[in-house]
């Protein structure tokens, strides 16, 4: 159970409230132009996205994690290497689709936050794609199981995730509907599906 600002002690309730509040913030970030103000592809911009989404819920929103974390058998970047990893990710090129996805894969391996990495990093990825090559991912076209498996394998072999995302690209980069469906899908990958963005 992760400590939170709301004093919630039940993990199912926390998941529901976290989904509702952070989805509202994701919608707001799109509508008020906050996303557009961020520099694409930097850790600083990812930290700002994370803080915007989760600040009402967690003290650590936008802050580097202070613990080692893993998912299944996969260990994300060890704490002692995290700073160095983020500095080298910042320097990675991002002028082509392949370079952008490679950068995204590395940021996923870094997993800089205690919670909420996937959801904030997918928004960060779309911001890079939009600003650099004029596309975003239509996440509603990316199957959950395919995505999770491809991401699991991506540190060793990124061909699958590149293939999946390339097939879901759209040049409707400012389409509200695509963004909202994308947020719902992004949350669904992580097991959050109680609220739909259009109902909030």
């Amino acid at each position: 159970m992760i400590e939170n600002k709301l004093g919630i002690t039940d993990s199912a309730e926390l998941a529901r409230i976290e989904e509702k509040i952070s989805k509202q913030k994701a919608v707001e970030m799109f509508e008020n132009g906050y996303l557009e103000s961020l520099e694409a592809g930097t850790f600083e911009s990812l930290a700002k996205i994370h803080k915007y989404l989760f600040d009402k819920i967690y003290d650590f929103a936008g802050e580097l994690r202070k613990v080692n974390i893993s998912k299944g058998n996969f260990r994300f970047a060890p704490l002692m290497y995290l700073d160095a990893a983020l500095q080298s990710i910042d320097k990675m090129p991002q002028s082509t689709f392949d370079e952008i996805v490679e950068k995204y894969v590395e940021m996923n391996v870094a997993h800089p936050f205690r919670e909420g990495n996937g959801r904030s990093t997918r928004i960060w990825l779309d911001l890079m794609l939009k600003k650099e090559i004029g596309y975003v991912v239509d996440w509603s076209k990316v199957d959950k199981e395919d995505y999770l498996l491809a991401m699991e394998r991506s540190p060793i072999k990124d061909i699958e995730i590149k293939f999946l995302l390339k097939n879901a690209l759209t040049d409707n980069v400012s389409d509200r509907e695509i963004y909202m469906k994308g947020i719902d899908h992004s949350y669904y990958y992580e097991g959050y599906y109680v609220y739909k963005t259009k109902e909030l």
Side-chain angles (χ1 to χ4, degrees):
M1 181 73 203
I2 301 175
E3 272 190 36
N4 57 85
K5 290 181 173 181
L6 308 170
I8 296 170
T9 52
D10 176 72
S11 55
E13 188 192 351
L14 178 60
R16 270 197 310 279
I17 300 297
E18 182 193 308
E19 178 185 359
K20 185 175 189 181
I21 292 174
S22 63
K23 269 188 179 173
Q24 284 169 336
K25 297 298 278 183
V27 170
E28 189 183 291
M29 190 164 37
F30 178 82
E31 297 195 324
N32 67 11
Y34 182 75
L35 272 176
E36 292 303 313
S37 73
L38 301 176
E39 188 185 346
T42 63
F43 170 67
E44 188 189 348
S45 64
L46 176 60
K48 284 178 177 172
I49 290 168
H50 190 271
K51 188 170 178 61
Y52 203 102
L53 290 177
F54 299 109
D55 202 29
K56 282 189 170 175
I57 309 151
Y58 299 120
D59 283 327
F60 59 74
E63 305 287 325
L64 278 186
R65 60 182 161 89
K66 295 179 173 67
V67 292
N68 284 318
I69 54 175
S70 58
K71 200 176 216 171
N73 296 324
F74 187 77
R75 284 186 50 152
F76 296 107
L79 215 47
M80 60 188 285
Y81 303 126
L82 190 52
D83 267 332
L86 292 171
Q87 284 172 33
S88 71
I89 293 167
D90 266 2
K91 294 188 186 99
M92 287 175 76
Q94 56 186 57
S95 58
T96 66
F97 172 79
D98 280 5
E99 286 174 353
I100 291 167
V101 176
E102 284 154 21
K103 196 163 183 166
Y104 168 63
V105 164
E106 286 305 312
M107 189 59 87
N108 182 60
V109 172
H111 241 62
F113 311 112
R114 179 79 184 79
E115 171 69 28
N117 287 281
R119 289 167 284 165
S120 46
T121 310
R122 283 186 286 275
I123 293 173
W124 180 79
L125 167 65
D126 269 334
L127 183 65
M128 250 194 302
L129 289 166
K130 180 178 183 175
K131 290 199 170 180
E132 298 290 351
I133 62 169
Y135 285 93
V136 291
V137 177
D138 180 348
W139 293 99
S140 67
K141 295 202 168 107
V142 183
D143 178 77
K144 176 180 178 175
E145 294 311 317
D146 291 348
Y147 169 77
L148 293 175
L149 278 172
M151 284 307 286
E152 210 175 286
R153 290 196 271 259
S154 66
I156 296 112
K157 193 176 72 175
D158 61 17
I159 188 166
E160 291 173 50
I161 193 66
K162 284 177 177 171
F163 179 80
L164 268 184
L165 298 183
K166 191 160 226 169
N167 281 327
L169 289 178
T170 172
D171 59 4
N172 281 342
V173 295
S174 301
D175 188 296
R176 190 176 184 278
E177 176 87 355
I178 285 174
Y179 178 83
M180 300 305 168
K181 277 194 312 192
I183 294 297
D184 285 335
H185 243 72
S186 175
Y187 274 63
Y188 165 63
Y189 298 152
E190 313 287 343
Y192 295 89
Y193 45 79
V194 176
Y195 301 97
K196 288 272 185 280
T197 48
K198 62 170 179 272
E199 293 159 7
L200 295 171

